[in-house]
Amino acid sequence: MSSAELAVVVVLPASGTGDRFSCQTPKQFACLLDKPIFFHTVMAFYRFDWVQNIVIIVSTEHIDRVTAMVDCCKDKVKVVLGSNTRHRSIREGVQALMHVQPVPDVVVIHDVVRPFFDEEVVKTIVKNAFVHGAAGVTRPLVSTVIQGDENNMLTASLDRNLYRASEMPQAFKYGVIKEAYEKADENDLDFGTELALKHCQTPAKLIPGPDCLWKITYKKDLYAAEGIMKETGICVCIQSVTGSASEAVLQCLEHHISEKGLSCKRVSEVSLDFNTYVFVHTEKSDITTMLETMSQEVCDCHRRNKYEIVKPCVIHVFAGNLLDTETEREFRETIAKLSKDQCSVLWYGVICQVRLNVCCSVYLHMFVYPQKV
């Protein structure tokens, strides 16, 4: 069963104080590119169309602020009041799922201060959690783990090859995580780990994860996170593909994109410097092959980028004769097929009319896939 066939809910505990961050403001509310860290994480999951709901758990003093910020995505995001420990807050989030319909198959739990994660890794965790009851990401240990006595004298050193670092996200079948928190005692809620194993005898399937799954813990981590986000922020490229697109069409596109405050360049090839691509087509000969070829270049290029936050977006613009209904039908059907086959990319199709070498300021037809019904 694929992740798209499962009812998947994400739980994001965000009520911690972030003591190691050494700041009066909890780290989840520290700003990266003018948005709090938690918002970047929420939006990263929100872009996954196979995630049905997202529950974010926050403290009393921040609940109004968070609720206002996620109002733009309230169709999928629910804000819940948290508690004074991580496990108690997660328990509140899991209990809130009793009112979610359809009943979740899998619950993903993730640190809200880990905004970088790969969609395919999350899908793998979800599928393994559904099969095994629980699954989690691991990374190799990078430092030697040692043990000392009461006098701080070395007594033992662990073999790093026998151990792994537990990372996030983790996923559980809904029944497993619900039962684990129902059985958890006060000590579990204060200090416990691996509650599914302890209370449900459900060992997690361990999934090797990429190195992008690091956690923003200290202030210095903000600089690294900001650098990654700037490299993967919205940057648009425009490319004339078939025929010779009129200069007016290209200038019109550049103008509207720049007006939104976005970086925009004309280029001749796909690269990871961009995550939004506008391909302008002016000839109708073999348009299906050209659409598929250019789109595949984008998919192949971005599949190599494990740090991507913004989902790649491809906008195909056909600047031609609107009376040519056969080309328009072929154009629409090809983009619909691409959306179905390559769901890791957002697909848009635009048909604009060109008269006297001037691109109309209003696009007469625009369609987005997948379409909502």
Side-chain angles (χ1 to χ4, degrees):
M1 182 174 288
S2 70
S3 56
E5 299 174 287
L6 299 172
V8 179
V9 174
V10 176
V11 172
L12 300 172
S15 59
T17 57
D19 294 337
R20 288 174 291 181
F21 198 64
S22 301
C23 183
Q24 288 185 340
T25 301
K27 59 191 173 186
Q28 59 269 33
F29 299 109
C31 280
L32 284 174
L33 303 184
D34 300 322
K35 298 291 184 183
I37 296 171
F38 88 85
F39 188 77
H40 291 289
T41 306
V42 170
M43 293 308 296
F45 279 111
Y46 182 77
R47 294 184 186 101
F48 299 164
D49 52 16
W50 48 272
V51 170
Q52 275 74 40
N53 295 96
I54 301 167
V55 177
I56 179 169
I57 308 105
V58 299
S59 58
T60 303
E61 60 266 37
H62 295 291
I63 194 165
D64 290 339
R65 175 189 179 188
V66 171
T67 301
M69 284 206 69
V70 300
D71 184 68
C72 61
C73 47
K74 60 184 178 183
D75 58 314
K76 287 173 64 169
V77 179
K78 178 181 178 63
V79 181
V80 173
L81 183 62
S83 192
N84 60 339
T85 66
R86 175 180 172 82
H87 275 308
R88 286 185 175 86
S89 290
I90 294 175
R91 182 180 62 179
E92 299 295 334
V94 172
Q95 288 176 346
L97 301 182
M98 291 188 295
H99 308 293
V100 170
Q101 292 295 330
V103 176
D105 294 309
V106 175
V107 178
V108 176
I109 298 176
H110 189 65
D111 288 331
V112 77
V113 289
R114 296 178 189 256
F116 309 108
F117 45 88
D118 179 60
E119 182 175 8
E120 292 306 314
V121 171
V122 181
K123 285 182 176 180
T124 300
I125 295 167
V126 165
K127 288 184 282 189
N128 277 276
F130 186 73
V131 172
H132 301 284
V137 177
T138 66
R139 289 286 300 158
L141 290 174
V142 296
S143 299
T144 300
V145 180
I146 60 175
Q147 180 180 1
D149 61 19
E150 63 275 10
N151 297 316
N152 289 326
M153 300 299 291
L154 177 66
T155 58
S157 176
L158 298 181
D159 183 350
R160 284 187 298 178
N161 295 321
L162 300 179
Y163 299 88
R164 306 177 213 180
S166 178
E167 303 288 353
M168 303 293 278
Q170 298 172 352
F172 306 85
K173 292 188 80 169
Y174 173 57
V176 171
I177 195 65
K178 181 174 177 289
E179 180 184 353
Y181 276 104
E182 287 174 345
K183 292 182 176 179
D185 58 25
E186 291 301 305
N187 187 68
D188 290 327
L189 296 175
D190 284 330
F191 311 107
T193 60
E194 311 306 334
L195 300 186
L197 179 61
K198 177 179 179 180
H199 294 297
C200 306
Q201 294 72 54
T202 302
K205 177 69 174 179
L206 304 181
I207 309 296
D211 59 4
C212 65
L213 297 171
W214 54 279
K215 181 179 180 181
I216 298 175
T217 304
Y218 304 102
K219 278 188 177 181
K220 64 181 182 179
D221 296 332
L222 285 175
Y223 299 103
E226 184 173 339
I228 293 172
M229 286 188 175
K230 284 181 176 178
E231 288 183 1
T232 58
I234 297 177
C235 187
V236 184
C237 82
I238 297 178
Q239 186 175 344
S240 177
V241 182
T242 58
S244 178
S246 72
E247 185 66 19
V249 173
L250 298 176
Q251 286 182 356
C252 178
L253 290 168
E254 285 179 313
H255 172 73
H256 285 294
I257 292 168
S258 299
E259 268 193 337
K260 302 296 183 183
L262 304 177
S263 174
C264 178
K265 297 179 182 178
R266 289 196 210 178
V267 298
S268 58
E269 59 183 25
V270 169
S271 82
L272 286 175
D273 292 336
F274 308 96
N275 50 39
T276 300
Y277 301 86
V278 180
F279 297 123
V280 181
H281 308 263
T282 57
E283 289 186 1
K284 56 189 178 183
S285 59
D286 204 14
I287 193 169
T288 297
T289 300
M290 187 56 68
L291 286 171
E292 292 177 343
T293 300
M294 298 309 300
S295 300
Q296 191 60 50
E297 285 187 23
V298 172
C299 295
D300 291 343
C301 182
H302 283 266
R303 196 171 288 120
R304 302 192 298 269
N305 186 4
K306 299 300 183 182
Y307 293 94
E308 204 150 53
I309 297 176
V310 180
K311 209 172 188 180
C313 174
V314 176
I315 304 171
H316 286 290
V317 178
F318 179 66
N321 184 359
L322 288 173
L323 298 178
D324 185 357
T325 56
E326 180 62 27
T327 300
E328 180 180 338
R329 181 192 61 77
E330 183 180 356
F331 189 66
R332 286 175 174 270
E333 290 179 352
T334 302
I335 292 179
K337 181 178 183 298
L338 288 167
S339 177
K340 181 179 180 181
D341 296 343
Q342 303 284 359
C343 58
S344 61
V345 176
L346 296 175
W347 301 94
Y348 292 79
V350 178
I351 297 178
C352 69
Q353 186 177 25
V354 180
R355 290 178 181 169
L356 300 177
N357 233 18
V358 176
C359 178
C360 294
S361 59
V362 178
Y363 297 127
L364 300 185
H365 293 280
M366 181 170 181
F367 41 97
V368 184
Y369 291 93
Q371 295 179 329
K372 293 183 178 180
V373 295

